[in-house]
């Protein structure tokens, strides 16, 4: 896995990529992600792969989200 701390990309690009990956019901191609994020196709593919790997919970190791997150 490529950790995010070893990237030269701006955090805003990573957050945008996470939004695209996590809100797409059928997935995005790396070509579309590259165009939307302003990076090359190979970078978009690696980012998408890293995000999917970070959110993979096939082994049931991630803790479930609980309660309401919010303000006032």
């Amino acid at each position: 896995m490529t950790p995010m701390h070893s990237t030269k990309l701006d955090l805003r690009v990573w957050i945008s990529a996470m939004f695209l990956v996590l809100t797409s019901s059928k997935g995005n191609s790396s070509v579309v992600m590259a165009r939307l994020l302003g990076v090359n196709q190979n970078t978009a593919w690696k980012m998408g792969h890293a995000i999917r790997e970070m959110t993979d919970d096939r082994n049931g190791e991630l803790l479930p989200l609980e309660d309401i997150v919010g303000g006032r």
Side-chain angles (χ1 to χ4, degrees), residues 33-62:
M33 279 184 60
R35 189 181 70 237
L36 293 172
L37 298 173
V39 298
N40 68 41
Q41 187 266 334
N42 190 43
T43 300
W45 184 89
K46 288 179 182 179
M47 291 175 75
H49 182 75
I51 293 165
R52 284 187 293 278
E53 190 170 327
M54 285 187 282
T55 57
D56 179 20
D57 190 31
R58 281 182 250 171
N59 300 328
E61 297 170 348
L62 298 177

Side-chain angles (χ1 to χ4, degrees), residues 16-25 28 51-52 55:
S16 297
M18 287 179 208
F19 176 80
L20 292 173
V21 170
L22 298 174
T23 59
S24 173
S25 61
N28 291 316
I51 293 165
R52 284 187 293 278
T55 57

Side-chain angles (χ1 to χ4, degrees), residues 4-21:
M4 285 178 33
H5 65 267
S6 67
T7 184
K8 294 180 181 178
L9 290 173
D10 190 72
L11 180 60
R12 288 173 283 213
V13 176
W14 274 101
I15 292 171
S16 297
M18 287 179 208
F19 176 80
L20 292 173
V21 170

